[in-house]
């Protein structure tokens, strides 16, 4: 998910997406610990996407506070 797609979503949708991504990340970490992880780069991608979502949410909060 790129930044443009993230910016198009509402705050509620972004929060649901973060929960979903964190659940997926948990599963991937479990698979990695057991040695069954097929695509290790997916962990990095999910972590970056979560960070992007939090960045957009913070930007929105700051914009509201500045008004």
């Amino acid at each position: 998910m790129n930044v443009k797609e993230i910016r198009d979503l509402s705050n509620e949708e972004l929060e649901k997406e973060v929960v979903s991504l964190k659940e997926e990340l948990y599963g991937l970490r479990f698979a990695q610990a057991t040695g069954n992880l097929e695509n290790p780069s997916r962990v990095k991608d999910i972590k970056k996407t979560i960070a992007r979502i939090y960045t957009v949410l913070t930007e929105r909060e700051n914009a509201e506070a500045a008004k």
Side-chain angles (χ1 to χ4, degrees), residues 37-46:
L37 186 60
E38 294 178 9
N39 187 1
S41 66
R42 181 74 178 135
V43 174
K44 185 177 178 181
D45 293 339
I46 291 175

Side-chain angles (χ1 to χ4, degrees), residues 3 5 9 13 19-20 24 29 32 34 40 42 47 50 52 58 62 65:
V3 177
E5 293 171 351
L9 299 175
E13 292 172 327
V19 170
S20 170
E24 184 178 352
R29 284 182 175 158
Q32 186 176 24
T34 59
R42 181 74 178 135
K47 288 168 70 174
I50 292 171
R52 286 184 188 113
T58 303
N62 291 341

Side-chain angles (χ1 to χ4, degrees), residues 1 5-7 9 11 14-15 17 21 25-26 29-31 34 36 38 40 42-43 45-46 49-51 59 67:
M1 182 178 282
E5 293 171 351
I6 293 172
R7 291 188 193 281
L9 299 175
N11 287 351
L14 290 176
E15 290 171 3
E17 186 69 23
L21 288 171
L25 183 61
Y26 177 80
R29 284 182 175 158
F30 184 77
T34 59
N36 297 328
E38 294 178 9
R42 181 74 178 135
V43 174
D45 293 339
I46 291 175
T49 302
I50 292 171
E59 288 174 351
K67 289 184 181 179

